[in-house]
Amino acid sequence: NAGVTQTPKFQVLKTGQSMTLQCAQDMNHNSMYWYRQDPGMGLRLIYYSASEGTTDKGEVPNGYNVSRLNKREFSLRLESAAPSQTSVYFCASVRGTQETQYFGPGTRLLVL
Amino acid sequence: RKEVEQDPGPFNVPEGATVAFNCTYSNSASQSFFWYRQDCRKEPKLLMSVYSSGNEDGRFTAQLNRASQYISLLIRDSKLSDSATYLCVVNPNAGNNRKLIWGLGTSLAVNP
């Protein structure tokens, strides 16, 4: 039981490049989330998916797209990376209506 | 006023000390409250939920004061392994965990 996994762990991009951050959970959780964490800003919600087939914007969705491929997987795509997207990205999942969020280990992204 | 405020610290305490953190929240209608722990360069993990009646888990005690709109975390007999950042989390909506509000965290360093 791996919990929540994220790939890659680290990534360096040049401005304008695109990439997809992958997230998968094996806990049969319904809801999945993407956050970014920046110094002095705390965790901010980018997008979330309440269930398979649904996605909604969070607090800071601009510049990102998401895809809930199936119940297990929730990917985050940067179509044209910008230096402002340099951050640590965390994926999280929640079972049903419970509130405990289980986080993946994070992806550290540097955009030059 | 920020939605969730925490003293960033750092709190430097010797092993065995008792330390307490407070977290204030602005939305009086907030429904549920949590403390998460985040180790350096790791993902946040749930430490404990905060109930109206207060709750205790070993050396950790959490309290909620709705009248003054704050929650607290007390750590007794501090261990070196307690060194981490403690994140205060508030859910303003019952049964809806999409809009959790995360504090910036309080840094604790326990020294030998």
Side-chain angles (χ1 to χ4, degrees):
Chain A
N1 190 336
V4 181
T5 57
Q6 291 183 237
T7 56
K9 286 187 169 53
F10 305 95
Q11 184 70 49
V12 178
L13 291 178
K14 294 180 180 178
T15 297
Q17 287 185 316
S18 63
M19 76 162 296
T20 299
L21 282 64
Q22 306 286 352
C23 173
Q25 51 90 9
D26 61 3
M27 297 176 283
N28 202 34
H29 286 176
N30 295 324
S31 302
M32 298 185 74
Y33 305 79
W34 276 105
Y35 290 94
R36 60 178 290 174
Q37 187 174 34
D38 303 288
M41 300 295 289
L43 276 162
R44 293 183 291 169
L45 183 64
I46 305 171
Y47 270 93
Y48 63 93
S49 170
S51 61
E52 183 179 352
T54 67
T55 61
D56 285 289
K57 296 178 180 179
E59 182 185 353
V60 287
N62 292 343
Y64 305 95
N65 286 301
V66 290
S67 178
R68 185 73 183 269
L69 303 169
N70 46 56
K71 192 170 186 179
R72 289 188 63 249
E73 299 172 289
F74 188 37
S75 62
L76 178 72
R77 183 161 178 82
L78 287 71
E79 290 291 352
S80 179
S84 61
Q85 294 178 304
T86 293
S87 187
V88 180
Y89 291 85
F90 288 106
C91 177
S93 69
V94 174
R95 184 180 68 187
T97 57
Q98 293 189 5
E99 295 173 295
T100 302
Q101 300 212 345
Y102 295 85
F103 285 82
T107 293
R108 284 166 175 74
L109 177 66
L110 173 62
V111 183
L112 301 175
Chain B
R1 181 181 178 185
K2 291 182 182 177
E3 292 183 274
V4 174
E5 287 196 83
Q6 298 183 248
D7 180 344
F11 285 64
N12 285 285
V13 302
E15 270 186 293
T18 295
V19 61
F21 312 134
N22 282 344
C23 165
T24 59
Y25 60 94
S26 60
N27 184 348
S28 61
S30 294
Q31 297 292 320
S32 49
F33 311 86
F34 310 89
W35 284 104
Y36 277 71
R37 170 194 168 127
Q38 186 172 25
D39 293 304
C40 186
R41 301 180 68 79
K42 299 287 189 180
E43 71 273 23
K45 291 182 180 178
L46 179 69
L47 178 66
M48 57 200 309
S49 302
V50 187
Y51 305 123
S52 296
S53 56
N55 50 308
E56 186 173 316
D57 182 3
R59 298 181 293 108
F60 298 84
T61 301
Q63 298 279 357
L64 167 63
N65 185 318
R66 284 196 182 274
S68 300
Q69 294 181 213
Y70 74 86
I71 64 172
S72 64
L73 178 67
L74 180 77
I75 305 175
R76 291 181 297 276
D77 188 22
S78 300
K79 311 292 185 190
L80 294 177
S81 57
D82 294 335
S83 298
T85 295
Y86 292 84
L87 304 172
C88 169
V89 187
V90 175
N91 185 354
N93 304 297
N96 175 348
N97 51 31
R98 296 192 294 270
K99 301 270 187 185
L100 296 182
I101 311 297
W102 293 77
L104 298 185
T106 296
S107 176
L108 171 66
V110 181
N111 305 305

